Amino acid sequence: MNLFESTQKMGHEQVLFCHDNKTNLRAIIAIHDAGLGAAMGATRLWPYASEEEALKDALRLSRGMTYKAACAGIPVGGGKAVIIAKPEHKTDEMLEAYGRFVDSLNGRFITGQDVNLCPEDVRTIRRGTRHVVGVSEQAGGPAVTTALGVFLGIKAAVEFRLPNKELNQIRVAVQGAGNVGKNLCQLLHQAGVEIFVTDLSRERTEEIKQLYGATIVQPEEIYSLDVDVFAPCALGGVINCTTLLLLKAPIIAGCANNQLEDEVLHSTIVESKEILYCPDYVINAGGLINVYGEMIGANDEEIIDGVSRIYDTLFEIFFKSKRENITTHEASKRLAEDRIMKAKNQKMLAKTA
Ligand SMILES: NC(=O)c1ccc[n+]([C@@H]2O[C@H](COP(=O)([O-])OP(=O)(O)OC[C@H]3O[C@@H](n4cnc5c(N)ncnc54)[C@H](O)[C@@H]3O)[C@@H](O)[C@H]2O)c1
């Protein structure tokens, strides 16, 4: 991978490689765009097969954060960090050392929890820096508000794509019963939705079956189910040439980041199969809205209000996609870029006034 060519093409401002000998910390912090404010993005801990894979993830996820903030109407930039480690090798000392690297950016990057980190870990990172969010668990915490946003997104998509169906008549396949997936299942169950669930952990799917009457399926079975919505809530890259041959659901709406393995190719195939794709960074913005709310001292009601706007934004994207004959992926990208440009222009005008 040609590093500068990639960062230039994707529009990144800064990439920080962090190494701490004592704790064996290896992390990458990517700042995509801090033009509108500090770059916000959670930290993911993952045993990447290669450094290149970790870097690619950090670059793509941080750009997604810029678009996510823009679509959610939040005046911050986009960033993301990855720690390369097996979850069982995570130590408090390693997280504290990581916090000191975050601190070295003097508030240009603000982070929180993503896959394999919990609020307790964020409190440990906070020993090294004050530039963290997601410790107060306001409005139930980021996972709860992310799930609410995904639920509202599913509602919008069903109204748009399946106008003759009520929510209590639909079947949803949930891939991943983790922090967000579990909360999403609760909301779906309350709305009378029939749930199919899979996870690598049998314990997690059993819990969803007990609590919400879900049908458990094997991980490889989840794509080919005869359902109305496929909700990817595990990891990225699950919408690809292989899974698109299996998918029967007319709607894809879930919380996972980077769902499309290849954004252009797979969003085009999705469209040609008349599947309505809810762009991941739009539908999963609930967590960002939550932690931004925590940062500016918003109350629970204001945070829920912000999350509720995901429903309207998705409708705006669905109509834009139809009107301009473009994929929903392209429509959300254009919406985000347009909002970023306008906000930057306003900021510049305010400076010169
Ligand atoms: N937590 C948030 O607030 C938030 C916000 C925005 C986006 N996301 C994204 O949503 C996704 C899920 O986040 P989370 O916090 O629930 O993570 P999590 O780690 O709590 O849950 C992920 C679940 O997916 C399961 N899983 C992994 N691979 C799988 C596979 N191949 N098949 C089935 N299940 C599999 C894991 O066992 C785990 O239970 C991630 O991609 C994350 O980046 C999360």
Side-chain angles (χ1 to χ4, degrees):
M1 180 190 228
N2 187 329
L3 184 53
F4 279 110
E5 204 179 292
S6 301
T7 52
Q8 188 188 6
K9 223 191 296 171
M10 293 177 75
H12 286 79
E13 289 181 9
Q14 187 179 9
V15 182
L16 181 69
F17 292 88
C18 319
H19 177 235
D20 182 64
N21 239 342
K22 211 166 134 198
T23 62
N24 207 19
L25 166 81
R26 287 185 305 149
I28 302 170
I29 300 175
I31 295 181
H32 179 254
D33 189 331
L36 291 180
M40 285 186 84
T43 299
R44 170 175 296 193
L45 186 141
W46 194 253
Y48 291 96
S50 68
E51 289 167 12
E52 185 167 343
E53 200 187 292
L55 178 61
K56 269 190 189 162
D57 215 22
L59 293 179
R60 213 177 139 183
L61 288 165
S62 54
R63 185 186 55 180
M65 288 305 295
T66 302
Y67 291 155
K68 185 183 297 200
C71 286
I74 294 178
V76 297
K80 194 83 186 181
V82 297
I83 297 177
I84 307 168
K86 288 186 177 163
E88 60 271 27
H89 292 166
K90 172 177 80 179
T91 62
D92 283 359
E93 291 73 24
M94 177 192 275
L95 295 177
E96 221 177 303
Y98 168 67
R100 288 193 292 274
F101 279 106
V102 173
D103 206 56
S104 72
L105 290 164
N106 289 321
R108 249 172 79 72
F109 175 64
I110 299 172
T111 198
Q113 76 171 92
D114 192 33
V115 179
N116 286 323
L117 292 186
C118 60
E120 193 48 47
D121 292 329
V122 180
R123 282 189 266 275
T124 308
I125 295 170
R126 194 171 53 176
R127 288 191 216 145
T129 181
R130 61 190 172 89
H131 302 297
V132 291
V133 282
V135 281
S136 75
E137 299 196 55
Q138 218 173 332
V144 171
T145 46
T146 301
L148 174 62
V150 175
F151 173 73
L152 295 172
I154 290 177
K155 192 167 175 295
V158 170
E159 284 172 23
F160 187 83
R161 179 68 179 76
L162 305 169
N164 297 326
K165 280 199 174 178
E166 296 293 328
L167 271 190
N168 62 10
Q169 297 170 313
I170 66 160
R171 293 147 63 97
V172 177
V174 180
Q175 180 185 48
N179 292 318
V180 182
K182 183 181 166 186
N183 284 294
L184 174 64
C185 286
Q186 183 185 10
L187 294 168
L188 292 171
H189 176 69
Q190 283 163 358
V193 172
E194 186 179 351
I195 305 168
F196 294 80
V197 69
T198 194
D199 197 288
L200 301 180
S201 150
R202 183 78 196 177
E203 205 182 310
R204 289 187 177 175
T205 49
E206 278 297 338
E207 193 185 1
I208 303 293
K209 181 182 170 184
Q210 294 296 324
L211 290 171
Y212 311 124
T215 304
I216 301 174
V217 300
Q218 291 305 312
E220 61 281 5
E221 281 179 86
I222 196 81
Y223 303 104
S224 50
L225 295 178
D226 190 8
V227 292
D228 301 286
V229 180
F230 170 58
C233 297
L235 287 172
V238 294
I239 309 298
N240 54 49
C241 290
T242 310
T243 58
L244 280 169
L245 286 176
L246 304 172
L247 267 186
K248 293 199 186 83
I251 293 168
I252 299 172
C255 71
N257 282 310
N258 293 347
Q259 291 168 25
L260 301 164
E261 191 179 84
D262 180 308
E263 291 174 349
V264 177
L265 174 67
H266 297 126
S267 64
T268 309
I269 300 177
V270 161
E271 203 80 12
S272 70
K273 290 187 71 156
E274 294 184 10
I275 297 173
L276 181 64
Y277 167 65
C278 296
D280 44 19
Y281 54 77
V282 180
I283 195 170
N284 73 13
L288 176 66
I289 295 167
N290 182 304
V291 293
Y292 177 72
E294 173 188 322
M295 202 170 90
I296 62 166
N299 61 33
D300 284 7
E301 205 178 309
E302 287 162 332
I303 291 172
I304 302 293
D305 211 44
V307 177
S308 306
R309 284 199 285 276
I310 290 175
Y311 172 91
D312 305 309
T313 308
L314 279 170
F315 260 106
E316 198 177 333
I317 289 164
F318 299 155
F319 282 121
K320 188 177 174 66
S321 145
K322 207 170 172 181
R323 214 174 38 242
E324 298 179 20
N325 197 20
I326 51 176
T327 63
T328 52
H329 163 73
E330 182 61 25
S332 61
K333 190 167 161 259
R334 287 188 193 176
L335 179 81
E337 285 170 353
D338 194 42
R339 287 188 178 179
I340 293 167
M341 201 175 64
K342 279 188 188 141
K344 283 187 176 170
N345 283 345
Q346 271 174 2
K347 207 173 162 186
M348 222 159 63
L349 280 175
K351 259 188 190 165
T352 50

